[in-house]
Amino acid sequence: MPILESGTNCLKGGVYKAFNKIGLEKFYFPVSILTEFGYTLLSKLNFGSNATPYKLNSYISDFKTNIKLAERENDQLLAVVTGANSGVGYETAKSLAYAGYVVIMACRNKELTEKAISDLKTETGLDSFKFMELNLASFKSIRKFLESFKAQYTKLDLLINNAGVMMCPYMTTEDGLELQFGTNHVGHFILTNGLLNEIKAAKRARILCLSSIAQFTGVYDKSLVLESSKYDKVVNYGISKLANAMFARELSKRLEGTGVTVNSLHPGAVDTNLNRHLGITAYSIGRKFLTLFLLSPAAGSLTSVKLALSSEYEGVTGKYFEHEHEMVPKIEVDNPELCKDLWDFTEELIATYDK
Ligand SMILES: NC(=O)c1ccc[n+]([C@@H]2O[C@H](COP(=O)([O-])OP(=O)(O)OC[C@H]3O[C@@H](n4cnc5c(N)ncnc54)[C@H](OP(=O)(O)O)[C@@H]3O)[C@@H](O)[C@H]2O)c1
């Protein structure tokens, strides 16, 4: 139901802008959560052209039609998906393999990823998945990943910055940064910048950054990132997801004219392991109840898969998406000075915290 989805985004965008104008921005997030439930209920009408498998197949076949066979035969498409061993990333990796990509599963846990790869191979009958170790909470691990990638590949067609950690108690990365900002934003910042030469070497590369509607709970305030006494697990998750969208916007500007596109997205409220720090385990009654109000991981992969594959988004860059359609991001994302400031701040943090 694309008209309903894009119509809802239009309405929500209008409400957000209006709330902003009259200083009621903080009341927008509850509105947004309510529309999430509406969307989830809609997605449970899993039949016809609304069904998740139907939509995924249509994005995959659209891609296969548009990338000419000869082009594919001479040029093996390569994708890196961070955190692909579970949830949204796992389902995204599956669709990319069906579309003809070799998918590098850039993950921190070898055992979990080997199990995921074995399941993906069984499910798809494809041998298109490779494990490469990457811990985004460690500068050393990211640099090791980059070294190993560059030793094997000269171009990268698709980078999906998907990995994430949500609402954990105060913790730090190996290098001492607050864990959510350090992993979700700074880790992906180093990874993406380190892969830019290979990304530019591809014919039509795309970069996706998984943000969240939680960006609307975030504020661009450096002291909240730097001072542990100010830590609030909800606000700091929001800050890291706001940073994902601001980074995507700034990078899209810096890559203008290269043919590389960069977009950010919210995958929906999805039933995954992301809730681990909320005390909701896979087998708890809370999780089973919550599942009723959450998208399946496959439905949660729809926006990533569409942005990665659809010809509709050829050349589209610097935008933010929810539920497979463009959406208005938090106001900071539309502020070029702030986005550049975040970039400079991140570089300073890396220089300071690098041991
Ligand atoms: N689920 C939702 O409702 C929702 C809503 C909005 C946005 N998102 C965003 O969607 C993305 C995917 O999340 P998901 O829902 O699919 O959750 P998930 O199943 O928990 O997947 C998260 C992935 O990130 C990996 N990861 C965490 N810390 C890492 C690190 N330091 N280095 C490398 N990988 C790391 C995890 O690895 P391990 O398995 O080893 O822990 C896992 O593979 C996240 O960016 C999240 O913020 C999700």
Side-chain angles (χ1 to χ4, degrees):
M1 285 172 233
I3 294 180
L4 197 59
E5 289 150 5
S6 61
T8 309
N9 279 7
C10 236
L11 195 66
K12 262 169 59 180
V15 169
Y16 175 65
K17 282 181 179 164
F19 276 25
N20 235 312
K21 228 176 200 162
I22 52 175
L24 293 176
E25 198 200 351
K26 65 177 178 199
F27 295 108
Y28 169 72
F29 187 63
V31 172
S32 185
I33 290 283
L34 280 179
T35 57
E36 283 302 300
F37 289 140
Y39 184 83
T40 304
L41 289 177
L42 197 66
S43 91
K44 308 263 176 203
L45 303 173
N46 206 4
F47 57 82
S49 62
N50 191 51
T52 298
Y54 176 92
K55 287 182 173 182
L56 289 172
N57 278 334
S58 73
Y59 299 144
I60 293 164
S61 55
D62 169 42
F63 181 77
K64 285 183 156 172
T65 315
N66 283 291
I67 298 276
K68 290 182 195 69
L69 196 61
E71 210 177 296
R72 274 193 285 138
E73 275 169 359
N74 299 327
D75 179 22
Q76 175 56 62
L77 294 165
L78 187 66
V80 167
V81 183
T82 66
N85 60 290
S86 82
V88 174
Y90 177 95
E91 294 296 331
T92 305
K94 195 193 296 176
S95 290
L96 296 178
Y98 280 132
Y101 278 88
V102 163
V103 184
I104 294 176
M105 319 258 294
C107 305
R108 62 178 166 177
N109 185 316
K110 186 166 188 251
E111 213 180 312
L112 286 179
T113 313
E114 281 175 351
K115 163 84 174 68
I117 289 180
S118 154
D119 291 347
L120 282 165
K121 282 184 179 169
T122 309
E123 259 186 90
T124 61
L126 297 167
D127 190 15
S128 311
F129 311 93
K130 292 186 194 311
F131 167 63
M132 276 180 72
E133 191 173 331
L134 172 71
N135 178 1
L136 289 156
S138 157
F139 292 173
K140 196 169 137 204
S141 170
I142 303 169
R143 291 189 180 130
K144 207 167 149 209
F145 174 91
L146 290 170
E147 213 175 282
S148 164
F149 182 88
K150 285 166 194 286
Q152 298 173 66
Y153 306 102
T154 51
K155 61 117 202 178
L156 177 62
D157 303 275
L158 177 64
L159 170 63
I160 307 193
N161 290 328
N162 166 85
V165 55
M166 181 179 82
M167 296 182 201
C168 50
Y170 185 80
M171 291 190 236
T172 61
T173 64
E174 197 176 285
D175 309 280
L177 285 160
E178 184 278 301
L179 189 71
Q180 301 192 77
F181 193 76
T183 306
N184 300 351
H185 169 60
V186 181
H188 281 125
F189 180 96
I190 302 174
L191 176 74
T192 309
N193 279 301
L195 290 170
L196 281 185
N197 283 341
E198 289 72 21
I199 289 171
K200 286 182 200 160
K203 279 187 194 126
R204 46 158 75 74
R206 294 184 184 186
I207 301 172
L208 306 184
C209 300
L210 275 274
S211 175
S212 168
I213 52 165
Q215 67 178 267
F216 293 97
T217 65
V219 280
Y220 185 57
D221 179 341
K222 293 170 194 168
S223 75
L224 298 180
V225 171
L226 296 170
E227 293 171 36
S228 57
S229 59
K230 291 187 177 172
Y231 183 71
D232 175 311
K233 62 185 182 181
V234 177
V235 174
N236 280 74
Y237 177 64
I239 292 173
S240 75
K241 292 285 122 183
L242 177 61
N244 291 148
M246 292 169 75
F247 167 62
R249 174 64 64 85
E250 176 65 18
L251 183 62
S252 73
K253 273 181 65 188
R254 291 178 187 232
L255 291 177
E256 260 167 31
T258 62
V260 180
T261 62
V262 193
N263 292 295
S264 65
L265 67 120
H266 164 65
V270 196
D271 186 18
T272 67
N273 295 331
L274 198 68
N275 294 322
R276 74 188 75 185
H277 292 294
L278 303 181
I280 305 164
T281 62
Y283 306 103
S284 68
I285 296 175
R287 172 85 176 247
K288 291 200 161 49
F289 176 72
L290 259 183
T291 302
L292 298 172
F293 301 96
L294 297 172
L295 299 174
S296 68
S301 74
L302 279 165
T303 308
S304 294
V305 172
K306 184 178 181 190
L307 278 168
L309 301 180
S310 173
S311 56
E312 193 182 324
Y313 296 133
E314 197 74 56
V316 172
T317 192
K319 308 286 187 202
Y320 166 66
F321 292 81
E322 289 180 10
H323 305 305
E324 301 156 76
H325 295 278
E326 193 184 337
M327 171 59 192
V328 173
K330 192 161 191 282
I331 194 156
E332 287 89 334
V333 183
D334 282 332
N335 183 326
E337 284 82 31
L338 281 188
C339 293
K340 174 166 185 317
D341 192 68
L342 172 69
W343 188 286
D344 296 342
F345 173 55
T346 310
E347 283 183 336
E348 279 162 29
L349 282 179
I350 296 164
T352 310
Y353 283 79
D354 205 358
K355 287 168 190 158

